[in-house]
Amino acid sequence: DTAVSQTPKYLVTQMGNDKSIKCEQNLGHDTMYWYKQDSKKFLKIMFSYNNKELIINETVPNRFSPKSPDKAHLNLHINSLELGDSAVYFCASSKTAGYGYTFGSGTRLTVV
Amino acid sequence: GENVEQHPSTLSVQEGDSAVIKCTYSDSASNYFPWYKQELGKRPQLIIDIRSNVGEKKDQRIAVTLNKTAKHFSLHITETQPEDSAVYFCAASISSGGGADGLTFGKGTHLIIQP
């Protein structure tokens, strides 16, 4: 069983479209995150949720909206996609703050 | 907020030699320091971590040291093997229990093991 699963693995879409990425963890962790990894491999936090509540919302465009229907799921919806949104998006979960993350396999988003 | 600097950005060593990657952090309240390994096209995976109440931790060929006073920590890999080739990330966070403080990552070190 995959501990943190993300879908889709690849996403190619045109500028201006709206898309969603789904993430689910079966580890019973309380905390989930979204990170963006750019072409230079830099991992930057976007959002974190603790027990369905938004805790961290870094400076990302408000075109990005996370949703956590329950503590096992954290989805990311992106409106009006732009070329600069092209990156790998990783979902991760941790037992709580101060514990290591388990990452999902990543979603490679390409905006054309 | 926290800022984590990581050096070098690229490190090439001969197989069998040791590799050392260094990181510094800015927030003295940070107390949890994990290291991740990311192979090409794969997800980052936790390889070792250390908390601020410990100065050193070892796990087979890898070790991490922490100097709280100087606010720096290092990853040491001994007897390097070809499968150690990857990008390594250090990170720091504040473990406040009950919160969801995210990890701040360094920019990564591309470790190349030369045969």
Side-chain angles (χ1 to χ4, degrees), chain B residues 2-74:
Chain B
E2 176 65 280
N3 183 47
V4 177
E5 299 283 339
Q6 183 172 346
H7 300 281
S9 56
T10 304
L11 177 60
S12 182
V13 300
Q14 290 292 126
E15 184 179 347
D17 287 351
S18 295
V20 180
I21 302 170
K22 298 182 179 183
C23 289
T24 60
Y25 60 98
S26 60
D27 191 339
S28 56
S30 288
N31 55 10
Y32 176 63
F33 308 93
W35 286 87
Y36 287 82
K37 175 183 180 182
Q38 186 178 26
E39 296 174 359
L40 189 62
K42 302 271 182 74
R43 74 191 78 192
Q45 293 202 293
L46 179 68
I47 55 171
I48 195 167
D49 56 12
I50 192 167
R51 298 187 186 275
S52 57
N53 58 349
V54 175
E56 184 176 1
K57 185 175 177 182
K58 285 184 181 178
D59 183 2
Q60 300 182 349
R61 295 185 300 108
I62 59 173
V64 57
T65 57
L66 171 66
N67 183 327
K68 283 191 298 183
T69 304
K71 288 191 282 189
H72 67 70
F73 56 115
S74 302

Side-chain angles (χ1 to χ4, degrees), chain A:
Chain A
D1 275 348
T2 304
V4 181
S5 58
Q6 274 179 249
T7 54
K9 193 168 174 62
Y10 299 96
L11 188 51
V12 181
T13 188
Q14 290 190 324
M15 276 173 46
N17 282 351
D18 303 339
K19 290 292 177 187
S20 292
I21 306 171
K22 294 186 176 183
C23 180
E24 176 183 2
Q25 54 97 1
N26 63 5
L27 298 166
H29 286 169
D30 284 341
T31 311
M32 295 185 74
Y33 311 84
W34 278 109
Y35 275 79
K36 178 180 180 180
Q37 186 170 47
D38 61 23
S39 58
K40 294 185 178 178
K41 301 292 187 186
F42 185 46
L43 280 160
K44 184 169 170 55
I45 191 166
M46 301 173 70
F47 303 102
S48 77
Y49 270 73
N50 189 47
N51 270 317
K52 302 192 303 176
E53 288 189 26
L54 178 66
I55 303 297
I56 292 175
N57 182 354
E58 288 294 314
T59 309
V60 299
N62 57 13
R63 298 181 294 104
F64 290 78
S65 52
K67 279 202 169 54
S68 182
D70 55 61
K71 77 172 195 176
H73 295 84
L74 180 61
N75 304 323
L76 184 65
H77 188 76
I78 316 169
N79 288 329
S80 304
L81 278 155
E82 300 177 358
L83 292 176
D85 297 332
S86 296
V88 180
Y89 292 83
F90 282 102
C91 174
S93 72
S94 67
K95 192 171 169 183
T96 186
Y99 284 83
Y101 291 178
T102 300
F103 281 90
S105 56
T107 296
R108 182 173 293 277
L109 172 65
T110 304
V111 183
V112 297

Side-chain angles (χ1 to χ4, degrees), chain B residues 68-89:
Chain B
K68 283 191 298 183
T69 304
K71 288 191 282 189
H72 67 70
F73 56 115
S74 302
L75 177 72
H76 304 251
I77 306 174
T78 58
E79 299 170 21
T80 53
Q81 300 169 3
E83 54 265 35
D84 295 330
S85 293
V87 178
Y88 290 79
F89 294 95

